[in-house]
Amino acid sequence: MADRVHPMPAPRPDQPPAGAGAEAHAANDGAPPTETTPLQQPHPSFNRPLSPPPGTYIVQVPKDQVLRVPPPDRARRYKKLAARPARRRLLRRACCCACAAFLLLLLLAAAFAGAAYLIFRPRAPTFSVASLSIRGLNNLTSSSTTLSPELDAAVRADNGRNRKVGIEYRGGGSVTVSYAGEQLATGPWPAFRQPPRNATVFLVDMRGQGVRLAEEQRRRLVAERAAGAVPLAVEARVPVRLRFGSTVMRTWTVDVKARCDVDVDRLDGDATAVNRGCRVKVRPLWWWW
């Protein structure tokens, strides 16, 4: 460890001592000026000699007097505290990059979905009940009687509104027939592929066991059977996927829920079904609403 020190200039031989100048100045102040009185001495700053050129000197400091900042016992803590702002900056930068990447992915997904919608224009299929074959609903003499109805429904699925979009009906779906909120029978929905501009009619076998109607429901069902207009509700839930054109691009699997209200003229044998309307709900695919 070395410090740069400049030497003090040596006094000039012709320069009077500092005390002598002060005494002469005091004596001259008390005496009246005469022709032989010398001129007043100038200010000492004018007589100051110029500083010599700086020199370099090596000053040796003992090793045991060398001071460290920070001290050795605080060096680890100082290093840890000094590195904390850098870690915070890195963490903040990583969070910003992750948020930006997530937003970019969302924008790309939205742009892709919008382009697919504008190109293919997907539409919801329509459903209807073509006919119903009913067995096991004749014994309505007492409300304590347990019924085991069997129904065969011919369901028509129409994909005529889609020109470039096919529908894949996957397995695991179900069809249910109910009367006044009471479930009568249920059966599986078949799995098949439906191309664009296609209408498919398929048969669904539904079975029920241990069905017991309330007294009010039984009386109303008897009256409606006599009038030849028994209202039934046919509900279906089936997982589907969309297939865009001839490409391999498909959507994810979603559940389609359909409800058709029909009137039948009889409760035994082949009945004529009059459709009063069907509703289709596919909430995850907003363009199907």
Side-chain angles (χ1 to χ4, degrees), residues 267-279:
L267 293 179
D268 56 340
D270 295 335
T272 302
V274 179
N275 289 272
R276 293 185 298 163
C278 294
R279 297 185 300 273

Side-chain angles (χ1 to χ4, degrees), residues 119-279:
I119 294 174
F120 296 100
R121 295 286 182 175
R123 294 292 184 269
T126 58
F127 302 97
S128 61
V129 179
S131 62
L132 274 173
S133 178
I134 305 173
R135 297 179 301 274
L137 286 178
N138 293 329
N139 191 5
L140 299 175
T141 57
S142 175
S143 60
S144 61
T145 304
T146 301
L147 304 176
S148 297
E150 298 179 1
L151 294 91
D152 297 332
V155 181
R156 185 175 187 270
D158 190 357
N159 191 31
R161 297 196 301 170
N162 287 316
R163 299 180 179 180
K164 301 179 181 180
V165 178
I167 301 177
E168 296 181 2
Y169 296 95
R170 305 176 66 82
S174 61
V175 183
T176 303
V177 176
S178 59
Y179 170 77
E182 184 70 26
Q183 179 176 320
L184 300 179
T186 183
W189 181 289
F192 63 94
R193 292 183 180 180
Q194 190 174 30
R197 293 190 174 186
N198 175 266
T200 303
V201 179
F202 54 93
L203 190 65
V204 179
D205 297 332
M206 293 171 284
R207 301 291 183 267
Q209 292 181 353
V211 178
R212 182 172 297 178
L213 298 177
E215 182 65 24
E216 180 64 26
Q217 292 177 338
R218 187 188 65 82
R219 291 179 181 178
R220 188 169 55 183
L221 183 59
V222 171
E224 291 169 345
R225 182 183 62 177
V230 179
L232 298 177
V234 181
E235 297 177 330
R237 184 195 62 81
V238 55
V240 302
R241 287 196 310 183
L242 299 183
R243 184 186 181 97
F244 295 100
S246 58
T247 63
V248 296
M249 187 171 58
R250 300 182 180 90
T251 63
W252 57 92
T253 302
V254 295
D255 287 340
V256 174
K257 296 181 180 180
R259 176 187 172 93
C260 296
D261 296 325
V262 298
D263 290 340
V264 295
D265 58 347
R266 53 189 302 179
L267 293 179
D268 56 340
D270 295 335
T272 302
V274 179
N275 289 272
R276 293 185 298 163
C278 294
R279 297 185 300 273

